[in-house]
């Protein structure tokens, strides 16, 4: 604790600073004040220098002597310790600049996905808040270490660019969290979604023949209707621009027990978009709830059998929609 007390403050004063001002206001020296609160002058001096903390008992005694509430003293102590710890953690972040540099910052910055990304004073914290993790080590454990496969069901360690891929995945999680939806029984929900397959095919038939798509971030009428249909069935369909180093086309997963399909928001043509959608839809209908399926990106636990089934499913749906498309 003594080592932490030597760190420079960010601006929050210590309880000792306030006590020093109060003692001057009361025209008391250390000896008189110590006698009034029942502590030794040594203890009061340590409090003034920030070398001992305000306990609840001390806070109550300080309240009687100074007129400042015990809650006020305890709050001062809490904020002071928080400030010291933040300073200590911030200092440790200075060694993690390489971690930040591995992210696709040039592409990420104009998208405004990460609040205060270009904060020069503290470059690491904005990314940690975006991912909802406490440290670069925690990010690595979640996104790349196989030890957490049970929770995440995928490791990005073998991906071409795990940093860019993790940003794309996380952006989808944030968008999914913003959509309030009740959880359903997954077996029943698969049946409901499968029964609605003709509706999906009709949408593809109506909107899949167009040759190009809009700019990144644009959601056209067909994409919006697809999203609305998914919502009516208890499924979240998200559109997220990918990265050059992680050109992911789509992903299917059960996120917080709700089926989610996440698609790149711009393809070379509409047929590629719809083919990818049906590919991911098949994973929701046919395959495991605990798995994550990512299209156009290699990862260690990719299942070739399930991917082949998804391709066959997508080809049939495209044919039923009258769209002659063969994935290249």
């Amino acid at each position: 604790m003594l080592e932490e007390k030597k760190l420079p403050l960010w601006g929050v004063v210590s309880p000792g600073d306030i006590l020093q001002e109060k003692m001057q206001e009361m025209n008391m020296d250390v000896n008189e004040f110590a006698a009034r609160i029942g502590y030794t002058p040594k203890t009061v001096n340590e409090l003034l220098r920030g070398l001992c903390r305000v306990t609840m008992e001390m806070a109550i005694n300080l309240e009687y002597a100074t007129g400042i509430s015990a809650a006020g003293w305890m709050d001062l102590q809490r904020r002071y310790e928080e400030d010291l710890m933040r300073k200590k953690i911030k200092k440790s972040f200075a060694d993690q600049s390489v971690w930040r540099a591995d992210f696709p910052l040039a592409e990420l910055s104009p998208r405004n996905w990460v609040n205060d990304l270009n904060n020069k004073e503290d470059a690491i914290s904005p990314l940690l808040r975006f991912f909802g993790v406490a440290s670069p080590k925690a990010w690595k454990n979640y996104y790349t270490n196989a030890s957490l496969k049970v929770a995440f069901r995928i490791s990005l360690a073998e991906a071409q660019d795990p940093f860019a891929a993790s940003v794309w995945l996380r952006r989808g999680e944030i968008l999914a969290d913003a959509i309030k939806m009740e959880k359903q029984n997954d077996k029943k929900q698969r049946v409901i979604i499968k029964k609605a397959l003709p509706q999906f095919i009709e949408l593809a038939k109506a909107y899949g023949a167009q040759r190009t798509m809009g700019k990144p971030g644009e959601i056209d009428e067909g994409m919006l209707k697809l999203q609305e249909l998914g919502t009516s069935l208890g499924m979240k369909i998200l559109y997220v621009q990918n990265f050059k180093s992680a050109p992911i086309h789509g992903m299917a997963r059960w996120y917080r027990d709700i089926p989610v399909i996440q698609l790149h928001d711009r393809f070379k043509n509409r047929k590629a978009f719809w083919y990818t959608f049906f590919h991911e839809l098949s994973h929701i209908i046919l395959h495991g709830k605990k798995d994550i399926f990512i299209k156009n990106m290699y990862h260690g636990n990719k299942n070739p059998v399930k991917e082949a089934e998804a391709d066959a499913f997508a080809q049939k749906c495209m044919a039923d929609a009258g769209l002659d498309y063969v994935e290249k």
Side-chain angles (χ1 to χ4, degrees):
M1 191 69 181
L2 295 182
E3 181 182 349
E4 291 180 5
K5 296 296 183 183
K6 296 177 183 178
L7 293 172
L9 296 178
W10 282 2
V12 176
V13 297
S14 72
D17 295 328
I18 298 299
L19 180 58
Q20 184 73 58
E21 293 179 4
K22 192 65 179 177
M23 287 172 58
Q24 290 175 355
E25 179 185 314
M26 298 166 67
N27 197 26
M28 288 188 192
D29 62 17
V30 170
N31 291 329
E32 180 182 353
F33 189 79
R36 286 180 176 276
I37 64 173
Y39 290 98
T40 66
K42 178 182 178 182
T43 299
V44 174
N45 272 317
E46 287 181 345
L47 179 59
L48 291 172
R49 295 166 58 198
L51 300 180
C52 73
R53 66 189 310 276
V54 176
T55 64
M56 179 56 73
E57 177 187 352
M58 185 181 288
I60 293 173
N61 291 334
L62 288 171
E63 178 183 303
Y64 289 135
T66 65
I68 299 174
S69 70
W73 286 110
M74 294 302 294
D75 186 56
L76 276 170
Q77 183 65 41
R78 179 195 61 77
R79 286 189 290 153
Y80 180 62
E81 292 180 358
E82 178 185 347
D83 188 72
L84 290 173
M85 185 53 65
R86 286 185 180 278
K87 185 67 178 179
K88 184 176 181 180
I89 292 174
K90 181 183 177 183
K91 185 178 179 181
S92 72
F93 287 166
D95 300 327
Q96 301 292 339
S97 57
V98 174
W99 178 74
R100 170 188 164 89
D102 283 330
F103 288 95
L105 300 176
E107 291 181 80
L108 183 57
S109 181
R111 300 185 190 186
N112 296 318
W113 293 357
V114 182
N115 293 329
D116 206 18
L117 175 63
N118 297 316
N119 178 356
K120 295 180 180 179
E121 181 182 354
D122 182 6
I124 301 299
S125 292
L127 283 169
L128 296 180
R129 292 191 180 96
F130 171 76
F131 284 108
V133 297
S135 66
K137 182 179 179 180
W139 173 89
K140 184 176 181 180
N141 284 339
Y142 188 79
Y143 286 98
T144 67
N145 286 0
S147 60
L148 290 186
K149 271 189 177 181
V150 174
F152 194 61
R153 295 296 294 180
I154 190 173
S155 170
L156 298 178
E158 298 180 59
Q160 179 180 341
D161 186 343
F163 293 87
S166 68
V167 173
W168 191 80
L169 292 173
R170 178 58 181 158
R171 176 62 176 172
E173 291 176 349
I174 292 171
L175 293 177
D177 286 336
I179 303 172
K180 303 304 179 184
M181 192 174 288
E182 293 293 328
K183 299 177 184 178
Q184 307 291 334
N185 177 279
D186 60 298
K187 293 182 179 179
K188 292 181 179 179
Q189 196 164 12
R190 281 193 180 96
V191 172
I192 291 172
I193 294 172
K194 187 175 181 179
K195 287 182 178 179
L197 185 57
Q199 294 175 259
F200 288 116
I201 291 174
E202 283 301 312
L203 282 178
K205 186 182 296 184
Y207 295 98
Q210 299 178 37
R211 301 181 64 182
T212 60
M213 297 190 73
K215 297 179 181 179
E218 284 185 356
I219 299 179
D220 61 28
E221 184 179 19
M223 295 167 72
L224 181 61
K225 288 184 177 296
L226 178 62
Q227 207 169 44
E228 291 173 346
L229 178 55
T231 299
S232 71
L233 301 170
M235 178 171 61
K236 299 178 182 182
I237 300 176
L238 314 172
Y239 306 116
V240 180
Q241 183 183 3
N242 64 23
F243 295 91
K244 293 177 182 177
S245 59
I248 302 170
H249 286 177
M251 177 190 68
R253 68 189 293 194
W254 289 74
Y255 177 65
R256 304 197 193 285
D257 294 323
I258 292 174
V260 173
I261 292 178
Q262 182 173 328
L263 301 169
H264 174 45
D265 66 357
R266 182 177 63 174
F267 286 77
K268 291 182 179 179
N269 58 67
R270 300 285 176 175
K271 293 179 182 179
F273 169 85
W274 285 98
Y275 181 92
T276 301
F277 166 72
F278 286 123
H279 180 102
E280 302 307 334
L281 183 65
S282 75
H283 288 310
I284 296 296
I285 295 174
L286 303 175
H287 300 138
K289 182 179 178 181
K290 292 183 179 180
D291 289 318
I292 294 178
F293 301 92
I294 302 179
K295 186 170 175 53
N296 204 42
M297 186 193 80
Y298 177 78
H299 53 86
N301 58 337
K302 203 174 185 80
N303 188 312
V305 174
K306 291 180 179 180
E307 291 300 321
E309 291 175 349
D311 284 335
F313 182 95
Q315 288 166 6
K316 184 178 187 307
C317 290
M318 293 294 284
D320 291 344
L323 301 173
D324 55 338
Y325 177 78
V326 178
E327 188 180 33
K328 299 179 181 179

mmCIF file with all atom_site columns, all heavy atoms in Angstrom, residues 40 51 94 102 109 115 125 130 149 185 190 241 252 260 311:
data_model
loop_
_atom_site.group_PDB
_atom_site.id
_atom_site.type_symbol
_atom_site.label_atom_id
_atom_site.label_alt_id
_atom_site.label_comp_id
_atom_site.label_asym_id
_atom_site.label_entity_id
_atom_site.label_seq_id
_atom_site.pdbx_PDB_ins_code
_atom_site.Cartn_x
_atom_site.Cartn_y
_atom_site.Cartn_z
_atom_site.occupancy
_atom_site.B_iso_or_equiv
_atom_site.pdbx_formal_charge
_atom_site.auth_seq_id
_atom_site.auth_comp_id
_atom_site.auth_asym_id
_atom_site.auth_atom_id
_atom_site.pdbx_PDB_model_num
ATOM 1   N N   . THR A 1 40  ? -3.269  8.639   18.415  1.00 0.00 ? 40  THR A N   1
ATOM 2   C CA  . THR A 1 40  ? -1.944  9.201   18.688  1.00 0.00 ? 40  THR A CA  1
ATOM 3   C C   . THR A 1 40  ? -1.582  10.214  17.611  1.00 0.00 ? 40  THR A C   1
ATOM 4   O O   . THR A 1 40  ? -2.087  10.137  16.478  1.00 0.00 ? 40  THR A O   1
ATOM 5   C CB  . THR A 1 40  ? -0.873  8.097   18.711  1.00 0.00 ? 40  THR A CB  1
ATOM 6   O OG1 . THR A 1 40  ? -0.759  7.535   17.390  1.00 0.00 ? 40  THR A OG1 1
ATOM 7   C CG2 . THR A 1 40  ? -1.225  7.002   19.709  1.00 0.00 ? 40  THR A CG2 1
ATOM 8   N N   . LEU A 1 51  ? -0.607  7.611   4.568   1.00 0.00 ? 51  LEU A N   1
ATOM 9   C CA  . LEU A 1 51  ? 0.055   6.342   4.865   1.00 0.00 ? 51  LEU A CA  1
ATOM 10  C C   . LEU A 1 51  ? -0.827  5.384   5.660   1.00 0.00 ? 51  LEU A C   1
ATOM 11  O O   . LEU A 1 51  ? -0.410  4.273   5.970   1.00 0.00 ? 51  LEU A O   1
ATOM 12  C CB  . LEU A 1 51  ? 1.362   6.597   5.639   1.00 0.00 ? 51  LEU A CB  1
ATOM 13  C CG  . LEU A 1 51  ? 2.394   7.452   4.890   1.00 0.00 ? 51  LEU A CG  1
ATOM 14  C CD1 . LEU A 1 51  ? 3.635   7.637   5.743   1.00 0.00 ? 51  LEU A CD1 1
ATOM 15  C CD2 . LEU A 1 51  ? 2.754   6.801   3.565   1.00 0.00 ? 51  LEU A CD2 1
ATOM 16  N N   . ALA A 1 94  ? 0.849   0.836   -20.290 1.00 0.00 ? 94  ALA A N   1
ATOM 17  C CA  . ALA A 1 94  ? 1.896   1.433   -21.116 1.00 0.00 ? 94  ALA A CA  1
ATOM 18  C C   . ALA A 1 94  ? 2.753   0.367   -21.791 1.00 0.00 ? 94  ALA A C   1
ATOM 19  O O   . ALA A 1 94  ? 3.356   0.608   -22.836 1.00 0.00 ? 94  ALA A O   1
ATOM 20  C CB  . ALA A 1 94  ? 2.773   2.347   -20.269 1.00 0.00 ? 94  ALA A CB  1
ATOM 21  N N   . ASP A 1 102 ? -1.860  -4.002  -33.116 1.00 0.00 ? 102 ASP A N   1
ATOM 22  C CA  . ASP A 1 102 ? -2.225  -5.150  -33.944 1.00 0.00 ? 102 ASP A CA  1
ATOM 23  C C   . ASP A 1 102 ? -3.652  -5.070  -34.493 1.00 0.00 ? 102 ASP A C   1
ATOM 24  O O   . ASP A 1 102 ? -4.021  -5.861  -35.362 1.00 0.00 ? 102 ASP A O   1
ATOM 25  C CB  . ASP A 1 102 ? -2.061  -6.454  -33.144 1.00 0.00 ? 102 ASP A CB  1
ATOM 26  C CG  . ASP A 1 102 ? -0.602  -6.867  -33.019 1.00 0.00 ? 102 ASP A CG  1
ATOM 27  O OD1 . ASP A 1 102 ? 0.168   -6.556  -33.942 1.00 0.00 ? 102 ASP A OD1 1
ATOM 28  O OD2 . ASP A 1 102 ? -0.249  -7.494  -32.015 1.00 0.00 ? 102 ASP A OD2 1
ATOM 29  N N   . SER A 1 109 ? -11.074 3.282   -37.083 1.00 0.00 ? 109 SER A N   1
ATOM 30  C CA  . SER A 1 109 ? -11.256 4.645   -36.577 1.00 0.00 ? 109 SER A CA  1
ATOM 31  C C   . SER A 1 109 ? -12.447 5.372   -37.189 1.00 0.00 ? 109 SER A C   1
ATOM 32  O O   . SER A 1 109 ? -13.270 5.937   -36.460 1.00 0.00 ? 109 SER A O   1
ATOM 33  C CB  . SER A 1 109 ? -9.970  5.444   -36.785 1.00 0.00 ? 109 SER A CB  1
ATOM 34  O OG  . SER A 1 109 ? -10.108 6.748   -36.288 1.00 0.00 ? 109 SER A OG  1
ATOM 35  N N   . ASN A 1 115 ? -15.577 4.045   -28.683 1.00 0.00 ? 115 ASN A N   1
ATOM 36  C CA  . ASN A 1 115 ? -15.604 5.401   -28.152 1.00 0.00 ? 115 ASN A CA  1
ATOM 37  C C   . ASN A 1 115 ? -14.197 5.864   -27.769 1.00 0.00 ? 115 ASN A C   1
ATOM 38  O O   . ASN A 1 115 ? -13.472 5.150   -27.068 1.00 0.00 ? 115 ASN A O   1
ATOM 39  C CB  . ASN A 1 115 ? -16.513 5.477   -26.922 1.00 0.00 ? 115 ASN A CB  1
ATOM 40  C CG  . ASN A 1 115 ? -17.966 5.259   -27.262 1.00 0.00 ? 115 ASN A CG  1
ATOM 41  O OD1 . ASN A 1 115 ? -18.413 5.601   -28.357 1.00 0.00 ? 115 ASN A OD1 1
ATOM 42  N ND2 . ASN A 1 115 ? -18.724 4.679   -26.343 1.00 0.00 ? 115 ASN A ND2 1
ATOM 43  N N   . SER A 1 125 ? -7.507  1.593   -22.834 1.00 0.00 ? 125 SER A N   1
ATOM 44  C CA  . SER A 1 125 ? -8.819  1.494   -22.188 1.00 0.00 ? 125 SER A CA  1
ATOM 45  C C   . SER A 1 125 ? -9.998  1.518   -23.159 1.00 0.00 ? 125 SER A C   1
ATOM 46  O O   . SER A 1 125 ? -10.964 0.763   -22.968 1.00 0.00 ? 125 SER A O   1
ATOM 47  C CB  . SER A 1 125 ? -8.978  2.604   -21.149 1.00 0.00 ? 125 SER A CB  1
ATOM 48  O OG  . SER A 1 125 ? -8.097  2.393   -20.073 1.00 0.00 ? 125 SER A OG  1
ATOM 49  N N   . PHE A 1 130 ? -14.619 -1.533  -25.230 1.00 0.00 ? 130 PHE A N   1
ATOM 50  C CA  . PHE A 1 130 ? -15.335 -2.043  -26.406 1.00 0.00 ? 130 PHE A CA  1
ATOM 51  C C   . PHE A 1 130 ? -15.526 -3.558  -26.290 1.00 0.00 ? 130 PHE A C   1
ATOM 52  O O   . PHE A 1 130 ? -16.629 -4.075  -26.534 1.00 0.00 ? 130 PHE A O   1
ATOM 53  C CB  . PHE A 1 130 ? -14.551 -1.702  -27.666 1.00 0.00 ? 130 PHE A CB  1
ATOM 54  C CG  . PHE A 1 130 ? -15.082 -2.357  -28.916 1.00 0.00 ? 130 PHE A CG  1
ATOM 55  C CD1 . PHE A 1 130 ? -16.221 -1.894  -29.537 1.00 0.00 ? 130 PHE A CD1 1
ATOM 56  C CD2 . PHE A 1 130 ? -14.413 -3.450  -29.471 1.00 0.00 ? 130 PHE A CD2 1
ATOM 57  C CE1 . PHE A 1 130 ? -16.714 -2.502  -30.685 1.00 0.00 ? 130 PHE A CE1 1
ATOM 58  C CE2 . PHE A 1 130 ? -14.897 -4.055  -30.617 1.00 0.00 ? 130 PHE A CE2 1
ATOM 59  C CZ  . PHE A 1 130 ? -16.036 -3.587  -31.230 1.00 0.00 ? 130 PHE A CZ  1
ATOM 60  N N   . LYS A 1 149 ? -12.901 -22.528 -24.864 1.00 0.00 ? 149 LYS A N   1
ATOM 61  C CA  . LYS A 1 149 ? -13.777 -23.001 -25.935 1.00 0.00 ? 149 LYS A CA  1
ATOM 62  C C   . LYS A 1 149 ? -15.168 -23.375 -25.425 1.00 0.00 ? 149 LYS A C   1
ATOM 63  O O   . LYS A 1 149 ? -16.154 -23.241 -26.127 1.00 0.00 ? 149 LYS A O   1
ATOM 64  C CB  . LYS A 1 149 ? -13.165 -24.219 -26.626 1.00 0.00 ? 149 LYS A CB  1
ATOM 65  C CG  . LYS A 1 149 ? -12.251 -23.874 -27.799 1.00 0.00 ? 149 LYS A CG  1
ATOM 66  C CD  . LYS A 1 149 ? -11.903 -25.149 -28.531 1.00 0.00 ? 149 LYS A CD  1
ATOM 67  C CE  . LYS A 1 149 ? -11.049 -24.861 -29.745 1.00 0.00 ? 149 LYS A CE  1
ATOM 68  N NZ  . LYS A 1 149 ? -10.723 -26.093 -30.460 1.00 0.00 ? 149 LYS A NZ  1
ATOM 69  N N   . ASN A 1 185 ? -37.505 -21.826 -26.506 1.00 0.00 ? 185 ASN A N   1
ATOM 70  C CA  . ASN A 1 185 ? -36.983 -23.181 -26.548 1.00 0.00 ? 185 ASN A CA  1
ATOM 71  C C   . ASN A 1 185 ? -36.310 -23.402 -27.896 1.00 0.00 ? 185 ASN A C   1
ATOM 72  O O   . ASN A 1 185 ? -36.927 -23.205 -28.943 1.00 0.00 ? 185 ASN A O   1
ATOM 73  C CB  . ASN A 1 185 ? -38.128 -24.186 -26.348 1.00 0.00 ? 185 ASN A CB  1
ATOM 74  C CG  . ASN A 1 185 ? -37.653 -25.621 -26.456 1.00 0.00 ? 185 ASN A CG  1
ATOM 75  O OD1 . ASN A 1 185 ? -37.493 -26.153 -27.550 1.00 0.00 ? 185 ASN A OD1 1
ATOM 76  N ND2 . ASN A 1 185 ? -37.423 -26.247 -25.319 1.00 0.00 ? 185 ASN A ND2 1
ATOM 77  N N   . ARG A 1 190 ? -36.170 -23.783 -33.800 1.00 0.00 ? 190 ARG A N   1
ATOM 78  C CA  . ARG A 1 190 ? -35.630 -24.317 -35.056 1.00 0.00 ? 190 ARG A CA  1
ATOM 79  C C   . ARG A 1 190 ? -36.772 -24.750 -35.984 1.00 0.00 ? 190 ARG A C   1
ATOM 80  O O   . ARG A 1 190 ? -36.723 -24.524 -37.198 1.00 0.00 ? 190 ARG A O   1
ATOM 81  C CB  . ARG A 1 190 ? -34.712 -25.503 -34.779 1.00 0.00 ? 190 ARG A CB  1
ATOM 82  C CG  . ARG A 1 190 ? -33.322 -25.121 -34.303 1.00 0.00 ? 190 ARG A CG  1
ATOM 83  C CD  . ARG A 1 190 ? -32.404 -26.328 -34.370 1.00 0.00 ? 190 ARG A CD  1
ATOM 84  N NE  . ARG A 1 190 ? -31.068 -26.011 -33.915 1.00 0.00 ? 190 ARG A NE  1
ATOM 85  C CZ  . ARG A 1 190 ? -30.616 -26.224 -32.684 1.00 0.00 ? 190 ARG A CZ  1
ATOM 86  N NH1 . ARG A 1 190 ? -31.410 -26.764 -31.782 1.00 0.00 ? 190 ARG A NH1 1
ATOM 87  N NH2 . ARG A 1 190 ? -29.388 -25.904 -32.339 1.00 0.00 ? 190 ARG A NH2 1
ATOM 88  N N   . GLN A 1 241 ? -19.902 -4.445  -41.288 1.00 0.00 ? 241 GLN A N   1
ATOM 89  C CA  . GLN A 1 241 ? -18.830 -4.354  -42.276 1.00 0.00 ? 241 GLN A CA  1
ATOM 90  C C   . GLN A 1 241 ? -17.590 -5.107  -41.782 1.00 0.00 ? 241 GLN A C   1
ATOM 91  O O   . GLN A 1 241 ? -17.181 -4.957  -40.635 1.00 0.00 ? 241 GLN A O   1
ATOM 92  C CB  . GLN A 1 241 ? -18.475 -2.881  -42.527 1.00 0.00 ? 241 GLN A CB  1
ATOM 93  C CG  . GLN A 1 241 ? -17.414 -2.672  -43.600 1.00 0.00 ? 241 GLN A CG  1
ATOM 94  C CD  . GLN A 1 241 ? -17.044 -1.198  -43.761 1.00 0.00 ? 241 GLN A CD  1
ATOM 95  O OE1 . GLN A 1 241 ? -17.550 -0.353  -43.033 1.00 0.00 ? 241 GLN A OE1 1
ATOM 96  N NE2 . GLN A 1 241 ? -16.165 -0.909  -44.692 1.00 0.00 ? 241 GLN A NE2 1
ATOM 97  N N   . ALA A 1 252 ? -22.950 -17.652 -37.926 1.00 0.00 ? 252 ALA A N   1
ATOM 98  C CA  . ALA A 1 252 ? -24.162 -18.127 -37.267 1.00 0.00 ? 252 ALA A CA  1
ATOM 99  C C   . ALA A 1 252 ? -23.785 -18.610 -35.874 1.00 0.00 ? 252 ALA A C   1
ATOM 100 O O   . ALA A 1 252 ? -22.774 -19.299 -35.700 1.00 0.00 ? 252 ALA A O   1
ATOM 101 C CB  . ALA A 1 252 ? -24.802 -19.263 -38.064 1.00 0.00 ? 252 ALA A CB  1
ATOM 102 N N   . VAL A 1 260 ? -28.524 -16.009 -33.837 1.00 0.00 ? 260 VAL A N   1
ATOM 103 C CA  . VAL A 1 260 ? -28.025 -14.779 -34.445 1.00 0.00 ? 260 VAL A CA  1
ATOM 104 C C   . VAL A 1 260 ? -27.313 -15.114 -35.750 1.00 0.00 ? 260 VAL A C   1
ATOM 105 O O   . VAL A 1 260 ? -26.479 -16.022 -35.796 1.00 0.00 ? 260 VAL A O   1
ATOM 106 C CB  . VAL A 1 260 ? -27.039 -14.043 -33.506 1.00 0.00 ? 260 VAL A CB  1
ATOM 107 C CG1 . VAL A 1 260 ? -26.394 -12.860 -34.230 1.00 0.00 ? 260 VAL A CG1 1
ATOM 108 C CG2 . VAL A 1 260 ? -27.747 -13.575 -32.241 1.00 0.00 ? 260 VAL A CG2 1
ATOM 109 N N   . ASP A 1 311 ? -23.508 -25.694 -47.382 1.00 0.00 ? 311 ASP A N   1
ATOM 110 C CA  . ASP A 1 311 ? -23.379 -25.340 -48.801 1.00 0.00 ? 311 ASP A CA  1
ATOM 111 C C   . ASP A 1 311 ? -24.508 -25.964 -49.625 1.00 0.00 ? 311 ASP A C   1
ATOM 112 O O   . ASP A 1 311 ? -25.109 -25.304 -50.483 1.00 0.00 ? 311 ASP A O   1
ATOM 113 C CB  . ASP A 1 311 ? -22.030 -25.802 -49.344 1.00 0.00 ? 311 ASP A CB  1
ATOM 114 C CG  . ASP A 1 311 ? -20.886 -24.907 -48.893 1.00 0.00 ? 311 ASP A CG  1
ATOM 115 O OD1 . ASP A 1 311 ? -21.134 -23.729 -48.588 1.00 0.00 ? 311 ASP A OD1 1
ATOM 116 O OD2 . ASP A 1 311 ? -19.741 -25.401 -48.828 1.00 0.00 ? 311 ASP A OD2 1
#
